[in-house]
Amino acid sequence: MIGIARLAAAGLLAMMAMGTARAEDALKTKIGVLRLSSSAPVFIAQDKGYFREAGLEVELKFFDAAQPIAVATTSGDVDFGVTAFTAGLYNLAGKGVLKVIGGMSREKAGYPLIGYFASNNAYAAGLKTPKDLAGKRIAMTQVGSSFHYSLGLLADKYGFKLADVKIVPLQSLSNAAAALKGETVDAALLPISTARKLVDDGGAKFLGWVGDETPWQLGAVFASPKTVANKVLVTKLLGALAKADREYHDVILASMKDGVAPINDKTKPLLEIIAKYTNLPVERVVGNCAYIDPDGKLDVKNVDNQIKWLQEQGFADKGFDANTIIAKDFVKAD
């Protein structure tokens, strides 16, 4: 009996040692991300263990604007960035220090994400719809940001001059929301996760959704060339994200109606994960589910259009296009 006990104990110790070895063998990596539903698959892959199953030990590092994530990825502070395209990101990629390796969020009709919001005073003075933004003072995070591009598309759609709009770059989402509430700007482009409480509390008025007005490829997964050269690491990360992309699409996005996901036994576990990482109650997450391609595809044609627009505006350097900045070994083109 003592011999059997010893054998059992030895077996248990061996199993524990193997588990420790596997944990030590996991590739450690950092991902820069915003606390927005547009990064939902990242949160799902982390919380449900898909990264771990792929042999990765992932640390999420949170930021308050997109451009700093691009800079951090270039400097090596994080290995991967998951956020919206910006002029700064494109300029870094154009210089060869960043590569796009996959798609993430999109502005798409029926999936509320980024909205146009008016201050109460501006609304009372006639700012009622997105096309009324011509000539107004508009807050956003940064010049050349995804918000800026969205406004440029809106200007093209309704025939007003972007140059006649006063852009007020405030560096963070919280600053832009505060300026809107404080009536120091006429309007702001904000994710609904930031603006919902502001609107519900009567601090601003909703004008419309970017996805309904001008759909486009908003976000991506990117990395430095050094990280991209580690094909095992990149393949593991994208494989885990692909699993989360598909689950998020099939469980949450497929169930949405009129821009809102239902809370039921099937959707609630994923909605709670998104709520956990975005610091929002589940009741606010349901109307804040960004569209993400179920296969993680990237709309390369639209990315090329973004680059051209930013170059024409003088926000992005000349001499590169979408094909220059994409890691073709990994990107699934739409």
Side-chain angles (χ1 to χ4, degrees), residues 5 53-54 62 105 108 114 142 146 170 177 199 209 219 225 231 261 282 306 317 329-330:
E53 290 170 6
F62 294 97
S105 59
K108 186 178 176 70
I114 307 299
Q142 294 171 323
S146 58
L170 294 172
V199 172
W209 298 114
K231 292 191 174 183
V282 170
Q306 291 179 47
D317 300 331
D329 289 347
F330 299 109

Side-chain angles (χ1 to χ4, degrees), residues 25 44 58 86 110 122 173:
D25 290 342
I44 292 168
V58 170
T86 64
L173 298 173

